[in-house]
Amino acid sequence: MGPHTGKGNGEGVSTCYWDVRSLSEAAEAGQAQEPEIRGAETAIVEAAALLASGGTVAFPTETVYGLGADARSTEAVERIFAAKGRPSDNPLIVHIADESQLTELVTDVPEAARKLMAAFWPGPLTIVLPVREGAVSPKVTAGLSTVGVRMPAHDIALRLIAAAGCPVAAPSANRSGRPSPTLASHVGEDLAGAIDGIVDGGPTGVGLESTVVECGAGGEVTVLRPGGITAEALAAVAASVTLDPALQGGGVAHVPAQPRSPGMKYTHYAPKGRLCVVKGAAHQAAARIQAELDAAAARGERTGVLAFDEHLELYRADAVQSLGSLAELAEAAHRLYAALRRFDEQGIGFMVAEACPEEGLGAAVMNRLLKAAGHEVIYV
């Protein structure tokens, strides 16, 4: 489909929009080349040309929508930071379409990293590696000697990156601190009029950003940010897996002044209202959540609760959002950001979320929930 342009947020930039959902639908259904598919392929070429010429283009991945720019161009990367309002000491992840691109980006790929790539690429795994001098803009690395690299498991993302012919720096395509976008419409809400283009490939899959890891010389793997690849899955491949102290500290106190990974230092993913998380045994937690909701309602606030299907009927609030079943936390990962955005749409000023076990994908779900809540936790 050809692009159309629109303006929003008062930024004054014409934002092109390409609907390429037919490519996703064709990949799923195994359809042959149809006219709309050929149009979508042309749209990918147009969007890639915009990236290659220094523009900023949002595109879908299997995790969330990313806001891409040529990782080699400081001017292009600065446009990402300006559009998002992102702190300049927060490094960006570089996306590639083929493992051969690593040669131009990094000086060394340890054997442990090679094993992870073989097991999980393409996929939601970012690996932090020693950056080759001059390979990317210093804005990408935020002054670090390393760069995070991943190969997304999304046909549209891979097509776009390959057609652009450059490594693509791409944080999530949202205003900094807001819930990450899992639909193209979420990108438009935050960034229309502030970026050059949006490629609409339909809803994303995992719903949470990639797992970020660093590999040691002895084959050990350190998780800097939990995500779609769990620590348990990594442990099946790596010699050992540990969590960075920042993940064990329950806040920002253990985070170094210069974060080594996106998502380590700042409050992220937050709705506009106040959000807190309640941790404890199910019945006690449910009682405390309802008490907090009732108190907020008595103050005249519109209230919301984010809960699992097993407990939904226990709550009374202006908005009740389901995270799916506790038995299937992949659904919680998929639903979380969209649920937080729906609270904003409904004008909810006070929200309470149930906690979940922090094993498997639950570690990533809780990481994002706690950051969205600014680490405001009630223990019962």
Side-chain angles (χ1 to χ4, degrees):
M1 310 286 283
H4 64 75
T5 61
K7 294 185 178 181
N9 296 347
E11 301 285 350
V13 175
S14 292
T15 300
C16 296
Y17 173 86
W18 296 273
D19 184 348
V20 300
R21 287 174 292 176
S22 58
L23 288 177
S24 298
E25 293 161 3
E28 291 174 5
Q31 296 172 354
Q33 293 289 308
E34 301 287 348
E36 62 267 24
I37 296 174
R38 288 195 292 272
E41 290 174 337
T42 299
I44 292 289
V45 172
E46 293 171 353
L50 191 51
L51 268 179
S53 64
T56 50
V57 175
F59 61 94
T61 75
E62 82 282 23
T63 58
V64 299
Y65 272 77
L67 177 58
D70 184 346
R72 304 168 302 184
S73 167
T74 292
E75 182 179 358
V77 172
E78 284 177 339
R79 290 165 136 186
I80 291 177
F81 284 95
K84 286 177 58 71
R86 182 182 176 97
S88 61
D89 66 344
N90 205 2
L92 302 180
I93 291 169
V94 175
H95 294 63
I96 60 176
D98 190 279
E99 200 171 313
S100 64
Q101 291 178 270
L102 283 172
T103 304
E104 64 190 65
L105 291 174
V106 304
T107 58
D108 179 51
V109 181
E111 182 60 28
R114 293 283 184 198
K115 289 180 179 179
L116 294 179
M117 292 171 194
F120 302 113
W121 276 16
L125 180 69
T126 295
I127 304 176
V128 174
L129 297 165
V131 67
R132 187 175 294 280
E133 186 176 356
V136 298
S137 165
K139 295 284 185 179
V140 169
T141 60
L144 296 171
S145 60
T146 55
V147 62
V149 185
R150 90 175 187 98
M151 186 190 305
H154 196 288
D155 182 60
I156 290 170
L158 293 174
R159 286 175 185 243
L160 180 68
I161 296 165
C166 61
V168 175
S172 55
N174 56 294
R175 290 289 296 178
S176 188
R178 294 276 292 132
S180 297
T182 54
L183 295 170
S185 59
H186 296 159
V187 180
E189 289 167 10
D190 281 9
L191 299 178
I195 62 176
D196 296 308
I198 299 172
V199 176
D200 184 354
T204 60
V206 176
L208 296 180
E209 295 83 358
S210 63
T211 302
V212 181
V213 301
E214 197 165 29
C215 298
E220 65 276 13
V221 171
T222 301
V223 177
L224 305 182
R225 180 181 75 182
I229 303 297
T230 66
E232 292 83 351
L234 293 169
V237 178
S240 67
V241 177
T242 58
L243 299 182
D244 187 270
L247 298 177
Q248 303 171 33
V252 298
H254 293 78
V255 179
Q258 173 60 68
R260 289 180 290 148
S261 163
M264 290 187 76
K265 184 174 181 181
Y266 297 96
T267 297
H268 291 270
Y269 328 116
K272 294 176 182 176
R274 176 188 167 201
L275 171 68
C276 63
V277 179
V278 174
K279 287 186 172 185
H283 289 295
Q284 291 94 322
R288 181 59 183 271
I289 287 171
Q290 190 58 55
E292 293 290 333
L293 293 169
D294 291 343
R299 297 192 299 267
E301 296 185 76
R302 283 180 57 76
T303 60
V305 62
L306 198 57
F308 292 91
D309 288 348
E310 290 84 349
H311 311 135
L312 286 181
E313 62 183 21
L314 300 176
Y315 300 115
R316 301 177 308 279
D318 293 306
V320 178
Q321 295 287 347
S322 167
L323 286 173
S325 172
L326 277 166
E328 188 48 70
L329 292 180
E331 192 62 28
H334 184 68
R335 295 185 183 190
L336 176 60
Y337 292 144
L340 294 176
R341 285 180 175 267
R342 280 195 293 273
F343 282 140
D344 287 348
E345 292 166 3
Q346 296 169 348
I348 304 301
F350 179 79
M351 292 146 281
V352 188
E354 291 187 335
C356 69
E358 297 187 49
E359 291 84 39
L361 201 51
V365 172
M366 285 302 298
N367 174 267
R368 304 312 193 272
L369 257 182
L370 291 172
K371 284 187 171 293
H375 288 274
E376 183 177 350
V377 182
I378 298 172
Y379 296 92
V380 296

